[in-house]
């Protein structure tokens, strides 16, 4: 067996508290470390970067779509890497890759000019291809691998208290995501977009060291059980699991896998498209940039409240009800986008996105081990992550073309509500496979 403490001076068996709480802290920071690769982190860079590269909004959105879509083909493989190599090494290399990718992003104009001169081509195709490749790298490593490995690691260290622990993690993560646009905007205003990406890359390189020191794959590696009890010597060889461990192929044969996966993908689609074009969406209705960015604060307050309450309750009630509430909140947010020019539209949008985001944090973290067990968690969540990545890939382009061709972002609501009606019909036969 590979030494689970390799390259680290930290020994979980000597921790004065259950080491799962250390995992909770650093795993939550790991999810926050993915922000530069998330749409909420990229969106603030959209306007200055596309202008510097000489790309239109549609071209930039298409590059984001293609890069993100390509990354989805590798996310499922990363889930299998998680099951084979564990969260520690997978997250470490993902953090290094994301940091390196951000450095390249900061040099994207220079890289584009280099290839333009080398190939003697003065065309938007060159910067388009350059930023597409860079989007592939940051979306794969950031939105995909770091997020999945950090969140799954936390879930592996807890069972009965999984919901309560996830509520703690969700509070910090939601706060971090909500303030990140404001913080990134400040970085750009103070240092320029190139140096801002380099600062974020440096933070990731530093955090990769902490991943090696504090991340641990699962409690059984240290003769511990989830939630903190010791494994007796007679139990070391054969630890009895409370749930049936479904393989990915078995999970895909259940209705719950698809309905839950698709409502999570819907959340990813809506949030990504909205966040990516948030300034343009609000400006099209007469709002300022600061007003557009400020919408994330009330959304996060609602999301944190919903996430905290529902995480705690998730240890005691059926998760099926959460899926229904996500569908309803999706309808509210879609109507809010449709009526954004009116005050009621803004309130519905904030309320809908807040509830949707809060429940996303619960369902995407707690439901999978609760429904399908822990053994193949990486493969199952990796496949679900590919759904989310594909949804987030196509969202910015659909939003962009909806605005530039039809003339308004409000028509996205028709797409949203069509999908939600299908999910609402399929919801009624969803049940826990356990």
């Amino acid at each position: 067996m590979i030494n689970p403490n390799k390259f680290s001076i930290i020994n979980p068996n000597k921790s004065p508290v259950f080491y799962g709480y250390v995992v909770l802290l650093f795993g939550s920071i790991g999810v926050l470390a993915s922000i530069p690769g998330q749409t909420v982190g990229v969106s603030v860079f959209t306007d200055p970067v596309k202008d510097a590269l000489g790309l239109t909004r549609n071209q930039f959105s298409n590059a984001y779509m293609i890069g993100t879509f390509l990354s989805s083909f590798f996310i499922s493989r990363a889930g299998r890497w998680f099951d084979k190599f564990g969260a520690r090494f997978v997250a470490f290399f993902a953090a290094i890759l994301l940091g390196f990718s951000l450095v390249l992003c900061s040099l994207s104009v220079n890289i584009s000019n280099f290839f333009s001169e080398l190939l003697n081509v003065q065309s938007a195709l060159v910067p388009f291809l350059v930023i597409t490749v860079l989007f592939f790298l940051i979306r794969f490593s950031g939105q995909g691998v770091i997020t999945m490995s950090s969140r799954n690691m936390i879930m592996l260290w807890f069972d009965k208290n999984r919901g309560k622990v996830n509520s703690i993690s969700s509070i910090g993560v939601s706060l971090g995501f909500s303030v990140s646009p404001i913080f990134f905007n400040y970085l750009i205003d103070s240092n320029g977009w190139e140096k801002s990406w380099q600062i974020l890359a440096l933070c990731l390189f530093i955090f990769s060291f902490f991943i090696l020191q504090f991340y641990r794959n699962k409690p059984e590696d240290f003769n511990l059980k989830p939630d903190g009890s010791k494994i007796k010597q007679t139990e070391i060889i054969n630890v009895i699991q409370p749930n049936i461990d479904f393989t990915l192929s078995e999970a895909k044969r259940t209705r719950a896998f698809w309905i839950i996966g698709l409502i999570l993908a819907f959340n990813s689609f809506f949030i990504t498209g909205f966040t990516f074009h948030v300034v343009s969406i609000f400006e099209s209705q007469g709002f300022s940039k600061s007003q557009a960015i400020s919408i994330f604060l009330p959304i996060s307050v609602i999301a944190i409240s919903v996430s905290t309450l529902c995480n705690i309750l998730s240890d005691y009630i059926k998760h099926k009800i959460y899926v229904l509430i996500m569908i309803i909140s999706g309808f509210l947010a879609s109507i809010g986008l449709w009526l954004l020019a009116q005050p009621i539209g803004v309130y519905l949008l904030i309320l809908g996105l807040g509830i949707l985001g809060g429940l996303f944090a619960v369902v995407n973290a707690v439901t999978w081990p609760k429904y399908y067990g822990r053994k193949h968690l990486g493969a199952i969540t990796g496949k679900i992550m590919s759904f989310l990545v594909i949804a987030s890939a196509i969202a910015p382009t659909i939003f962009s073309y909806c605005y530039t061709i039809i003339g308004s972002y409000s028509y996205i609501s028709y797409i949203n509500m069509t999908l939600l009606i299908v999910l609402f019909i399929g919801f009624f036969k969803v049940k826990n496979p356990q």
Side-chain angles (χ1 to χ4, degrees), residues 242-255:
N243 290 338
I244 300 172
D245 289 311
F246 285 72
T247 64
L248 174 59
S249 60
E250 290 170 339
K252 288 164 65 176
R253 289 196 289 269
T254 66
R255 181 184 289 256

Side-chain angles (χ1 to χ4, degrees), residues 2 30 44 56 71 120 171 173 190 192 283 291 299 333 385 389 432:
I2 298 175
V44 186
T56 65
S71 72
N120 194 25
I171 291 173
V173 169
S190 302
E283 284 181 346
Q291 288 175 315
I299 289 175
M385 184 62 73
V389 173
N432 187 337

Side-chain angles (χ1 to χ4, degrees), residues 330-343:
F331 274 111
L332 291 178
S334 299
I335 294 172
L337 179 62
W338 184 39
L339 301 175
L340 188 59
Q342 304 175 30

Side-chain angles (χ1 to χ4, degrees), residues 95-109:
I96 293 294
L97 177 59
L98 179 56
F100 177 70
S101 302
L102 292 179
V103 173
L104 293 179
C105 284
S106 72
L107 302 173
S108 55
V109 174

Side-chain angles (χ1 to χ4, degrees), residues 178-190:
S178 65
V179 302
S180 62
I182 300 173
F183 174 66
F184 285 7
N185 190 57
Y186 169 78
L187 274 182
I188 294 172
D189 289 342
S190 302

Side-chain angles (χ1 to χ4, degrees), residues 294-338:
S294 67
I295 195 175
F296 291 107
L297 184 58
I299 289 175
S300 68
V301 171
I302 297 173
I304 291 171
S305 302
V306 170
S307 176
T308 302
L309 175 62
C310 293
N311 265 306
I312 294 173
L313 294 177
S314 70
D315 292 329
Y316 309 103
I317 67 174
K318 293 181 179 180
H319 280 213
K320 181 178 178 178
I321 188 65
Y322 291 162
V323 178
L324 177 60
I325 298 174
M326 287 188 75
I327 294 172
I328 294 172
S329 61
F331 274 111
L332 291 178
S334 299
I335 294 172
L337 179 62
W338 184 39

Side-chain angles (χ1 to χ4, degrees), residues 57-74:
R57 181 171 296 276
N58 284 347
Q59 289 171 334
F60 197 76
S61 298
N62 287 338
Y64 189 81
M65 177 189 69
I66 296 171
T68 304
F69 185 75
L70 290 175
S71 72
S72 68
F73 292 101
F74 296 87

